[in-house]
């Protein structure tokens, strides 16, 4: 057992909302077990908060409404940043680092957008910035990729990494509930971001994907190059047609290494219904990681919520306490690869990414339209995997034609869609969704 007679480590919590409250409660409830793991006790010496959290009994703990008091408190060795957002959180983290304090954060937006700068400053000062809770809530996927899979050349990863979006898609599919209604429930449960468009437009997932791609491939964080497409325009019709073809639609983040560069994209995606990840429902998250030695691995768990996220924050805290005595140059690097060994392999624009496609074409019920569509695809070397034509819909007499293609570079599908939309028999924009087999 570690030397528990050593003085406890003093930490400061900034933000006592959903994650801050969960972190405080887990630290109190499991104090003894955590100390036995860390080798030292962990004491919350100060909390910065805007208002009290009724779920936390903070009697006797000094509080403030100024986060910088925590960052400048000479007794505190580790600052836990749980206020979220980009601006104040960045100032707080940089101030804590400048004061020689280690930082634990759950802030994916902060790391994805400002991480390169923050890590550089942390290296100068010899302090740790830990961010396991930033990706996939309670799932220790950063540790798994950074440490557990360190032997591998990672080929690709794909994940359901936004709990709110997955909760919405699940409730819509299983219970036919309305989008807005489910979103409100996700907000009440503390899953959704302060600005829920981050959840439903894929921005939150792109923050997390950016972080995962960096530690998987050893590249700097490049959130601005991630492609994002949300779930707000998904229709029940496409969800049902996908099911009929043997697929589930999930909001997936995909990062894939190719010779030309790295694909970094978040979008609704058809996944074969029998894949484990296609059956990840509700607020649960899952990340598949494919490495050349290990093959495909899957990490599953609660992707948001009070104590699941606290589980990752406290695990980071234990790591930092264990590493307090380690020479800074021998610690696990922030982005998994040594900072002077990051690669400049480019992130590919979406037009150069490769995927299979689901296309829904609303066509007039005339002979020859299907043949024209098929020849547009064949002229561009695009193979059709399956095709389904439904009855004409009563109101407008239009026939939905649903096609799934083999894999092709996106630029060619964009061209093919433009050609289809120029046909006389095609009356409205073609619906295009990406398909990933994940095998
Ligand atoms: N809004 C996020 C989600 C919280 O729903 O997944 C966890 O990062």
């Amino acid at each position: 057992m570690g030397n528990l007679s050593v003085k406890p480590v003093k930490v400061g919590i900034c933000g006592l909302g959903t994650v801050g409250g969960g972190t405080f409660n887990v630290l109190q409830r499991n104090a003894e077990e955590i100390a036995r793991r860390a080798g030292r006790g962990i004491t919350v010496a100060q909390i910065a908060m805007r208002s009290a959290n009724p779920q936390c009994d903070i009697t006797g703990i000094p509080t403030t409404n100024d986060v910088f008091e925590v960052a400048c408190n000479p007794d505190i060795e580790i600052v836990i940043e749980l206020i979220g957002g980009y601006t104040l959180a960045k100032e707080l983290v940089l101030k804590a680092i400048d004061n020689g304090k280690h930082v634990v954060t759950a802030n994916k937006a902060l790391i994805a957008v400002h991480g390169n700068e923050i890590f550089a400053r942390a290296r100068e000062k010899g302090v740790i910035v830990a961010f396991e809770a930033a990706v996939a809530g309670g799932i220790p996927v950063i540790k798994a990729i950074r440490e557990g899979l360190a032997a591998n050349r990672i080929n690709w990863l794909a994940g359901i990494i936004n709990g709110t979006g997955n909760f919405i898609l699940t409730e819509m599919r299983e219970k036919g509930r309305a989008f807005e209604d489910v979103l409100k429930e996700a907000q009440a449960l503390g899953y959704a971001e302060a600005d829920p468009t981050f959840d439903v437009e894929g921005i939150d997932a792109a923050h997390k994907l950016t972080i995962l791609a960096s530690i998987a491939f050893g590249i700097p964080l490049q959130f601005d190059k991630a492609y994002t497409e949300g779930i707000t325009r998904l229709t029940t019709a496409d969800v049902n047609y996908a099911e009929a073809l043997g697929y589930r639609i999930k909001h997936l983040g995909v990062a894939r290494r190719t010779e030309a560069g790295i694909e970094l994209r978040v979008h609704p995606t058809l996944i074969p219904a029998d894949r484990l990840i296609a059956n990840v429902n509700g607020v649960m998250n899952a990340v598949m990681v494919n490495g050349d030695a290990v093959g495909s691995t899957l990490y599953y768990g609660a992707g948001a919520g009070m104590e699941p996220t606290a589980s990752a924050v406290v695990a980071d805290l234990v790591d930092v306490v264990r590493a307090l005595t380690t020479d800074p140059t021998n610690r696990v690097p922030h982005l998994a690869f040594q900072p002077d060994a990051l690669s400049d392999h480019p992130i590919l624009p979406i037009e150069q990414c490769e995927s299979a496609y689901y296309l829904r074409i609303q066509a007039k019920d005339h002979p020859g339209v299907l043949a024209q569509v098929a020849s547009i695809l064949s002229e561009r070397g695009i193979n059709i995997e399956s095709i389904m034509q439904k009855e004409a819909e009563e109101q407008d007499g239009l026939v939905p034609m649903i096609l799934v293609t083999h894999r092709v570079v996106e630029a060619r599908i964009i061209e093919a869609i433009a050609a289809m939309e120029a046909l006389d028999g095609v009356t409205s924009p073609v619906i295009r969704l990406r398909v990933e087999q994940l095998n």
Side-chain angles (χ1 to χ4, degrees):
M1 198 160 86
N3 185 1
L4 294 180
S5 59
V6 178
K7 273 200 305 191
V9 179
K10 290 193 173 156
V11 305
I13 298 180
C14 295
L16 200 67
T18 303
V19 183
T23 299
F24 178 81
N25 287 347
V26 171
L27 276 175
Q28 304 306 307
R29 191 174 71 235
N30 296 343
E32 194 217 320
E33 195 110 343
I34 290 167
R36 283 172 53 216
R37 291 184 193 273
R40 285 174 74 180
I42 297 175
T43 302
V44 178
Q46 192 174 24
I47 299 174
M49 58 189 197
R50 274 191 308 216
S51 54
N53 185 328
Q55 298 189 66
C56 302
D57 176 7
I58 56 167
T59 313
I61 296 172
T63 62
T64 170
N65 55 16
D66 178 6
V67 290
F68 293 97
E69 264 190 41
V70 177
C72 298
N73 182 333
D75 291 338
I76 286 175
E77 281 188 76
I78 306 171
V79 171
I80 308 174
E81 183 280 302
L82 302 172
I83 60 174
Y86 301 99
T87 318
L88 184 62
K90 182 183 174 197
E91 280 176 47
L92 166 66
V93 164
L94 291 177
K95 175 59 84 183
I97 292 171
D98 285 343
N99 289 340
K101 301 186 191 309
H102 303 282
V103 173
V104 172
T105 177
N107 191 333
K108 51 264 159 138
L110 177 74
I111 297 298
V113 176
H114 300 298
N116 299 322
E117 183 186 345
I118 289 170
F119 297 149
R121 188 79 71 89
R123 279 196 300 279
E124 277 169 32
K125 295 285 174 182
V127 297
I128 303 169
V129 176
F131 51 93
E132 179 66 67
V135 179
I139 309 173
V141 65
I142 291 186
K143 191 177 266 286
I145 300 174
R146 191 162 55 183
E147 296 167 50
L149 299 181
N152 288 264
R153 182 178 161 86
I154 306 290
N155 297 315
W156 55 264
L157 59 89
I160 296 170
I161 43 181
N162 182 269
T164 302
N166 202 43
F167 181 59
I168 293 173
L169 288 182
T170 305
E171 292 287 304
M172 285 173 70
R173 191 181 74 84
E174 290 181 356
K175 301 185 189 149
R177 290 178 62 191
F179 187 98
E180 283 304 325
D181 174 39
V182 191
L183 176 58
K184 277 203 189 98
E185 190 181 339
Q187 287 174 298
L189 290 168
Y191 300 154
E193 295 302 298
D195 176 352
T197 59
F198 274 40
D199 295 298
V200 297
E201 294 299 353
I203 300 161
D204 176 75
H207 286 145
K208 295 165 180 167
L209 186 71
T210 299
I211 297 171
L212 289 177
S214 285
I215 59 171
F217 305 128
I219 53 171
L221 296 151
Q222 295 162 79
F223 169 70
D224 55 333
K225 301 207 177 111
Y227 173 82
T228 53
E229 204 175 288
I231 54 172
T232 47
R233 286 165 296 281
L234 267 187
T235 63
T236 318
D238 292 311
V239 171
N240 293 339
Y241 293 140
E243 296 260 353
L245 289 162
Y247 292 94
R248 286 276 158 79
I249 301 184
K250 291 290 182 188
H251 203 190
L252 210 65
V254 180
R256 188 190 308 272
R257 188 204 304 254
T258 74
E259 253 175 54
I262 288 162
E263 298 183 359
L264 196 60
R265 48 194 171 90
V266 175
H267 45 69
T269 311
L270 278 75
I271 307 171
D274 59 1
R275 297 272 180 277
L276 278 176
I277 197 168
N279 296 284
V280 170
N281 292 319
V283 73
M284 304 310 270
N285 280 195
V287 183
M288 280 183 87
V289 184
N290 180 278
D292 66 341
V294 72
S296 284
T297 57
L298 177 67
Y299 308 87
Y300 169 84
M306 195 167 185
E307 292 210 353
T309 313
S311 164
V313 173
V314 175
D316 269 351
L317 210 48
V318 170
D319 265 357
V320 175
V321 173
R322 285 173 177 153
L324 282 179
T325 50
T326 314
D327 164 9
T329 53
N330 286 321
R331 292 182 186 141
V332 179
H334 292 112
L335 289 180
F337 290 70
Q338 296 300 332
D340 57 359
L342 294 185
S343 127
D344 58 5
H345 208 40
I347 306 287
L348 294 174
I350 191 68
E351 295 76 17
Q352 289 175 36
C353 295
E354 196 188 276
S355 173
Y357 294 87
Y358 160 103
L359 304 176
R360 173 158 63 89
I361 303 143
Q362 294 289 105
K364 287 183 195 157
D365 197 4
H366 289 167
V369 186
L370 183 56
Q372 285 174 314
V373 166
S375 68
I376 286 173
L377 291 171
S378 74
E379 279 159 16
R380 288 163 182 81
I382 304 170
N383 249 331
I384 298 173
E385 185 200 273
S386 53
I387 190 160
M388 181 166 81
Q389 184 167 343
K390 307 298 280 186
E391 310 262 296
E393 282 163 7
E394 276 178 21
Q395 313 92 315
D396 52 14
L398 295 175
V399 183
M401 289 189 306
I402 296 107
L403 297 163
V404 177
T405 73
H406 282 235
R407 294 180 71 79
V408 59
V409 164
E410 178 126 344
R412 267 199 273 159
I413 275 289
I414 294 173
E415 263 180 49
I417 289 174
M420 289 175 199
E421 287 175 348
L423 293 174
D424 280 346
V426 173
T427 55
S428 49
V430 172
I431 303 293
R432 181 268 294 122
L433 293 168
R434 298 172 188 84
V435 182
E436 291 292 341
Q437 297 297 331
L438 303 180
N439 54 10

